[in-house]
Amino acid sequence: MTAVPVPDRAVDAFVEALGRDAVLVAEDELREFRDPYTFSGWDEHAASAVVLPSSVEEVQAVVRIANDFGVPLWTFSRGRNYGYGGASPRLSGSVLVGLLRMNRVLEVNEELAYALVEPGVSFFDLCEAVRAGGHKLLVSVPVLGWGSVVGNTLEHGWGYTPTGDHASSQCGLEVVLGNGDVVRTGMGAMAASRTWQTYRRSFGPSADGLFMQSNLGIVTKMGVWLTPEPECYLPCRVTVPGDDLAPLVDALRPLLLERTVQNVPLVMQDPASGRWGARFALYGHERVVDAQLAIVERAFSGLVGAEVVARKLPGGGVAEADGLDPLEQVMGGVPGLAALEVVKLLGGEHGGQLDFSPVTPLTGRDAVAMCDLLRPFYEQAGFLFGPGIIVTPRSLVFTSHITFDTQDEERARAAFDLYAQLADATGRAGYGLYRTHLGFMDLVAEQYGWGDGALRRFNEAVKDALDPNGVLSPGKQGIWPRSMRGAR
Ligand code: ADP
């Protein structure tokens, strides 16, 4: 794709609509929005300007101007999509629409355990609003707390509490479309709705999914379900000998399916000892949690050499508790930034990473097959293999990092080459990626080609209908507007 320059007249129109301080064009200002996890000399995904709207009306004005001048936009909320491209656009030359200034927590409802947020609200912000309001609620947070609730949810991101499947804990969106219209999904389509954040469907087809991992709209409000603060929080750690990934995973499956374990466990291998470990937590009334722990202990008692370590805490005291490691805090709803240190530890001061994330069924067989598939590629390319495996009731999401020094062009190139090899190998084996870096969106979209590309044709038809000038995030998830499909 060739870069599309922004016409000066479009910049003038943005300035007129948003004010001078909300339109950034200087090179040093744009540099801050670059994907920090690529080689510093590459600029394949460079923005031509950044606009910072402060209201829904300003977002509509931006979309109108983009249509008038044929300017491609790329939306981000906080731009912390690290490992997948940061704030960078798929199409070089796009104007970034940064929603950082739309950062109000519009409502926290303790009675019904939900919040309504604007896109610039980070996980830190939402947790702080819940704390400051004295609400007895638990927010699901990903391992890095600085990203936005909206961006993470729209990208199908994960947290580690009982509402950790973020896309399934979303309830109601407000979206600016490519033609400037604003729609509200779900019950929000009723003018005086009383149930926008409490009932996920509405009358007719559900539209919410169309705006996730998509380039059909700019989300300006989102409802998010929270968990009532439990009486008791009990983080658990189960470890097994290095060859026992399969039995560990198979022992977890019934616990998730029957809902004894209600959060999102993470399975990892300790690089020092080689032991595999599962991290998860129990939440609820103490008597129930005690009973659940007994069931958990029995589930792992048949595994030779298994160790279960659990610690019981009051549900409200996680932020103040001593001696919790970063994941025990995250599973207790306390956001942090500790994972950034791991990238530095493995990749150096200027370390970066790509996140390679295939999905398998939740069986020990598939877990081992995926490790056996990926590991030789990592070893061949000289990268450390150590996936963080997200466990859901029926699937495993392998978040397999490729960590490198972003100042070393050769290693950065090797990391991107490894990613392409891995995507090819997992795609052939029937395992799809749940999300991908900008540089691989076309390649991955190609793998979802059943029925002679039926899903692509569907996506393109919807794109053309809702965004006829193709101004919203061209190329996202491999979906290009009609005028740009030639280059595909
Ligand atoms: P984070 O939430 O981690 O800071 P970003 O803001 O970078 O992440 O968002 C990640 C991706 O999600 C973006 O690249 C964009 O494709 C999509 N996205 C984020 N916010 C919105 C939004 N408000 N409307 C539509 N898409 C969005």
Side-chain angles (χ1 to χ4, degrees), residues 50-330:
V50 182
V51 297
L52 301 168
S54 296
S55 65
V56 179
E57 293 73 24
E58 289 190 358
V59 173
Q60 289 179 279
V62 166
V63 171
R64 214 173 299 123
I65 293 164
N67 273 286
D68 288 349
F69 294 94
V71 171
L73 303 174
W74 179 269
T75 305
F76 73 88
S77 284
R78 293 222 67 86
R80 300 302 193 185
N81 194 22
Y82 285 20
Y84 297 102
S88 292
R90 168 67 187 87
L91 176 64
S92 208
S94 298
V95 171
L96 299 183
V97 183
L99 302 170
L100 303 162
R101 293 184 177 178
M102 295 173 67
N103 62 353
R104 289 176 301 168
V105 175
L106 298 169
E107 183 186 0
V108 176
N109 187 310
E110 185 174 332
E111 190 179 28
L112 292 162
Y114 70 76
L116 179 65
V117 297
E118 291 189 326
V121 172
S122 71
F123 287 94
F124 284 122
D125 296 335
L126 180 55
C127 291
E128 177 51 26
V130 166
R131 196 202 59 79
H135 305 294
K136 299 222 166 300
L137 293 168
L138 198 71
V139 178
S140 176
V141 301
V143 287
L144 289 172
W146 62 358
S148 70
V149 181
V150 167
N152 180 283
T153 302
L154 296 182
E155 289 297 295
H156 302 163
W158 293 90
Y160 300 91
T161 71
T163 53
D165 179 355
H166 291 163
S168 300
S169 307
Q170 166 270 332
C171 190
L173 297 175
E174 180 186 83
V175 191
V176 176
L177 302 180
N179 62 7
D181 264 4
V182 185
V183 294
R184 288 187 170 183
T185 65
M187 299 308 261
M190 272 190 103
S193 177
R194 293 172 184 277
T195 50
W196 191 20
Q197 269 63 65
T198 59
Y199 185 77
R200 298 188 73 221
R201 287 165 289 276
S202 78
F203 190 69
S206 291
D208 299 63
L210 281 175
F211 298 108
M212 296 192 177
Q213 289 203 356
S214 107
N215 53 8
L216 298 176
I218 298 177
V219 172
T220 48
K221 289 183 184 64
M222 187 185 83
V224 49
W225 283 350
L226 310 172
T227 305
E229 185 181 281
E231 177 180 290
C232 171
Y233 166 59
L234 189 143
C236 273
R237 180 193 303 246
V238 180
T239 64
V240 296
D243 291 333
D244 288 352
L245 174 61
L248 176 68
V249 165
D250 287 330
L252 274 171
R253 184 178 50 252
L255 296 174
L256 271 88
L257 280 171
E258 76 200 13
R259 299 188 62 71
T260 298
V261 172
Q262 297 180 7
N263 79 326
V264 179
L266 200 55
V267 168
M268 288 171 295
Q269 189 168 28
D270 179 344
S273 70
R275 286 174 74 84
W276 282 97
R279 307 285 301 273
F280 54 90
L282 304 172
Y283 309 75
H285 292 289
E286 188 169 0
R287 282 190 300 168
V288 178
V289 164
D290 287 343
Q292 287 168 325
L293 179 60
I295 294 167
V296 163
E297 284 173 335
R298 199 180 60 215
F300 293 104
S301 63
L303 274 60
V304 179
E307 283 172 17
V308 180
V309 179
R311 178 179 168 192
K312 205 191 289 179
L313 295 156
V318 182
E320 293 78 34
D322 287 331
L324 293 182
D325 75 8
L327 192 56
E328 287 165 336
Q329 293 182 331
V330 162

Side-chain angles (χ1 to χ4, degrees), residues 416-438:
F416 277 73
D417 287 348
L418 171 59
Y419 193 109
Q421 289 172 10
L422 294 173
D424 181 62
T426 51
R428 283 174 200 281
Y431 300 113
L433 303 187
Y434 95 98
R435 183 177 182 181
T436 193
H437 184 276
L438 298 172

